[in-house]
């Protein structure tokens, strides 16, 4: 760990954990958060991003925040609405939050930068890094909404620590899971933990995909039957009720593969 540092603005995050070496957009609307952003912009544009334990807490105190966060540099600030600002920031380093003080209606924070620990077997480290890449690629294919550019960026990343952070930021859905990865200093343990989480995410994505496909098939079948009913209304006028019922049920059974119209006729 490094020396104790002071940051002019500390931003508590709801439903979000930010990693080093990643770029994120954050909407800021709370008065203290806006004041913290203003203080950061007046200084060196650094801001300490720390996730809240409870997203429903409007005025979080020290105990309401996780201990590990990320020091980020603010790149752009733009209005999102009348009372909300949108900032684009880039995570730079892990930061262990030591203390926070109220200064001009916003929180300032003292922290220690936390470096990644590369201890461990090098071959094992490489193996888990490649496994994480494979699991991420498979997950991206199953979900279907991860850009090819992101997959390519992950495939080309050579730093195991950065790789774990980028994958976690773009694949894990639970803030608690992201926070667990963020708090893991040892890169080998971080990759092992990430691979386990990716397998769980992959299984969940597979089940969701199967449910979606079954739902789509049911909707398609109902739509076909609706179309047949509409068409057979015309047949009813021409052939009468009894013959219409025979034709209708025959067509439905044919759609379901029970038998075909030629055998009935």
């Amino acid at each position: 760990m490094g020396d104790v540092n002071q940051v002019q603005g500390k931003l508590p995050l709801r439903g979000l954990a930010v990693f080093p070496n990643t770029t994120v957009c954050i909407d800021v609307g709370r008065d203290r958060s806006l004041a913290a952003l203003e203080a950061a912009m007046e200084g060196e544009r650094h801001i300490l991003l720390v996730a809240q334990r409870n997203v429903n807490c409007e005025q979080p105190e020290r105990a309401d925040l996780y201990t590990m966060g990320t020091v980020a540099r603010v790149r752009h600030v733009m209005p999102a609405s009348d009372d909300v600002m949108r900032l684009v920031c880039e995570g730079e380093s892990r930061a262990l939050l030591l203390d926070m003080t109220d200064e001009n209606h916003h929180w300032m924070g003292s922290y220690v930068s936390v470096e990644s620990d590369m201890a461990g077997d090098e071959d094992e480290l490489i193996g888990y890094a490649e496994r994480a890449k494979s699991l991420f690629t498979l997950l991206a294919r199953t979900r279907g909404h991860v850009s090819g550019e992101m997959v390519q960026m992950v495939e080309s990343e050579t730093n195991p620590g950065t790789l774990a952070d980028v994958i976690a930021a773009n694949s894990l859905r639970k803030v608690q899971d992201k926070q667990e990865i963020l708090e893991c200093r040892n890169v080998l343990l971080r990759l092992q933990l990430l691979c386990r989480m990716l397998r769980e995410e992959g299984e969940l994505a597979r089940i969701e995909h199967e449910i979606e496909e079954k739902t789509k098939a049911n909707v398609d079948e109902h739509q076909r039957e609706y179309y047949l009913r509409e068409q057979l209304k015309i047949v009813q006028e021409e052939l009468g009720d009894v013959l219409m019922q025979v034709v209708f049920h025959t067509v439905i059974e044919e759609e379901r593969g029970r038998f075909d119209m030629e055998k009935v006729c």
Side-chain angles (χ1 to χ4, degrees), residues 192-234:
Q192 290 173 341
L193 179 61
L194 177 63
C195 286
R196 177 179 64 79
M197 291 178 176
L198 287 174
R199 285 194 295 269
E200 293 172 355
E201 290 281 357
E203 179 63 17
L204 180 60
R206 184 188 64 79
I207 293 172
E208 289 176 344
H209 179 71
E210 289 180 355
I211 293 173
E212 183 179 348
E213 288 299 309
K214 289 178 182 178
T215 302
K216 183 176 181 298
N218 288 337
V219 169
D220 289 344
E221 182 176 351
H222 291 155
Q223 287 177 337
R224 284 195 300 270
E225 291 188 4
Y226 173 78
Y227 173 77
L228 286 173
R229 287 190 179 94
E230 291 300 308
Q231 292 295 104
L232 288 170
K233 285 180 181 178
I234 301 173

Side-chain angles (χ1 to χ4, degrees), residues 12-13 29 77 81 105 108 110-111 134 144 149 156 158 173 184 189 194 208 211 240 245 249-250 254 261 264:
L13 305 176
V77 178
S81 64
H105 306 294
M108 294 179 58
S110 59
Y111 69 93
S134 298
E149 183 178 311
S156 61
T158 58
R173 290 188 262 195
C184 192
L189 294 179
L194 177 63
E208 289 176 344
I211 293 173
Q245 288 292 332
H249 288 293
T250 300
E254 185 180 22
M261 181 72 81
V264 177

Side-chain angles (χ1 to χ4, degrees), residues 53-84:
R53 297 180 185 275
N54 180 3
V55 297
N56 296 317
C57 182
E58 285 295 330
Q59 300 295 336
E61 302 292 335
R62 176 67 186 85
D64 300 312
L65 304 175
Y66 285 102
T67 302
M68 188 73 75
T70 297
V71 174
R73 177 176 289 276
V74 179
R75 295 299 184 186
H76 303 286
V77 178
M78 65 202 81
S81 64
D82 291 341
D83 52 1
V84 175

